Amino acid sequence: MTKPTDADTAEYIAFEAFQRGFLQGRFQVIVNPRLVQPFVAQRLNAVPVAIAILGLGIACALGGYVIAGGLLVALGIAFRRVVKWQAAKILLHLASRHMATYYDATTQGVMEVQRRPAEP
C-alpha cells in the first residue's frame, strides 16, 4: 500500500471561503449518498424528535382525540421520511451556515468540496 501524496489528496477549503463562494457557484460539492442520511439524521436529532411526535400522537389517540393523534403520528412518520429524502439539501444548508457542521461533514467524508475550474 502506498502512502498518499499531496497530489492524491484534495485541497481543504476553509469554512469562511466556502461560505462566501458557495452561493456564487465557486465550488463543486460532492455528497456521499451512503453517509449523508445518517449524518443529517444524527445532526438534527431526527429519531428523538420523531419518537416524541409519535408518542404525543399515540397519547392523544388513546385520550380520545383520535383525529389529532392520527395527524401527529402521520407527522412523525413524514418528518423522518422528509429528512431521509432531503438529506443532501439539508446538509448543504447546514454546512453553509454552521462551521461545526461543515467541519464534521468534510472530515468524516460525508461531503467533499472542490474548487470549480476557471472558465476561459
Side-chain angles (χ1 to χ4, degrees):
M1 187 152 140
T2 62
K3 183 178 176 186
T5 63
D6 287 339
D8 295 335
T9 59
E11 169 193 9
Y12 184 77
I13 310 293
F15 173 72
E16 292 79 15
F18 174 74
Q19 194 175 30
R20 284 191 309 267
F22 176 64
L23 294 177
Q24 298 170 352
R26 294 183 188 161
F27 300 109
Q28 177 179 356
V29 179
I30 301 166
V31 176
N32 186 333
R34 205 179 86 241
L35 299 176
V36 71
Q37 293 173 357
F39 180 85
V40 169
Q42 184 269 333
R43 200 52 129 169
L44 295 178
N45 294 321
V47 172
V49 170
I51 289 173
I53 294 171
L54 289 170
L56 186 58
I58 291 169
C60 285
L62 292 175
Y65 300 100
V66 178
I67 294 173
L71 290 174
L72 284 171
V73 168
L75 179 66
I77 294 169
F79 174 72
R80 285 282 293 141
R81 291 196 178 175
V82 167
V83 167
K84 184 177 181 178
W85 291 333
Q86 300 294 320
K89 290 179 182 179
I90 295 169
L91 174 64
L92 290 176
H93 175 80
L94 292 174
S96 67
R97 286 162 178 77
H98 303 283
M99 184 185 307
T101 302
Y102 175 78
Y103 177 78
D104 290 344
T106 54
T107 57
Q108 294 177 17
V110 178
M111 178 174 87
E112 182 180 334
V113 179
Q114 301 173 347
R115 292 191 190 277
R116 288 194 188 270
E119 296 179 8

